[in-house]
Amino acid sequence: ELERVCTAVLLNLCKIRVNGVAIVGGVCTARSDPAEHRVALAMYPVASMLNHSCRPSLSLRFKGRALSAHATRGLPAGEDLTISYGPQQGAAPHAERRALLASQYRFHCTC
């Protein structure tokens, strides 16, 4: 029984790490490391379904506990809605962004 419970807890912690939305505090700039400003991870089921792009079509913002998504540019009908899982293009070198994404999210970024 204990092994089953521990396995379930570990599985859920892994899901939170991969699907959680980082809540950041303080001021994040294009040149700062968002991990230094991360204060928590939160589960937002709809946001966890958004795919990654180094040039995302959406930015996520918090107002209290509410999460909202805002278009980063004009979006034609049918365009995928994406967010950046890590540093956006221009905020970190290409190889560094790929390494961070591979390390945390276990996929090879092709942006």
Side-chain angles (χ1 to χ4, degrees), residues 2-61:
L2 179 60
E3 183 177 342
R4 186 184 66 75
V5 170
C6 291
T7 300
V9 168
L10 180 60
L11 179 62
N12 284 309
L13 287 173
C14 291
K15 287 179 182 179
I16 291 170
R17 181 172 184 236
V18 172
N19 293 309
V21 176
I23 299 175
V24 295
V27 177
C28 283
T29 66
R31 299 201 183 280
S32 66
D33 179 0
E36 292 178 11
H37 302 281
R38 189 175 294 168
V39 295
L41 282 175
M43 292 302 295
Y44 291 88
V46 173
S48 72
M49 294 171 34
L50 294 168
N51 287 323
H52 165 78
S53 174
C54 287
R55 292 182 33 119
S57 59
L58 300 175
S59 67
L60 300 178
R61 299 182 192 153

Side-chain angles (χ1 to χ4, degrees), residues 41-107:
L41 282 175
M43 292 302 295
Y44 291 88
V46 173
S48 72
M49 294 171 34
L50 294 168
N51 287 323
H52 165 78
S53 174
C54 287
R55 292 182 33 119
S57 59
L58 300 175
S59 67
L60 300 178
R61 299 182 192 153
F62 292 94
K63 185 170 185 178
R65 293 181 182 174
L67 176 69
S68 60
H70 301 266
T72 58
R73 59 184 176 277
L75 301 174
E79 180 173 336
D80 286 342
L81 300 178
T82 59
I83 58 174
S84 176
Y85 290 0
Q88 293 183 20
Q89 201 166 22
H94 186 251
E96 183 180 330
R97 284 195 325 273
R98 278 190 170 174
L100 288 168
L101 293 168
S103 172
Q104 179 158 355
Y105 298 102
R106 306 288 188 238
F107 76 93

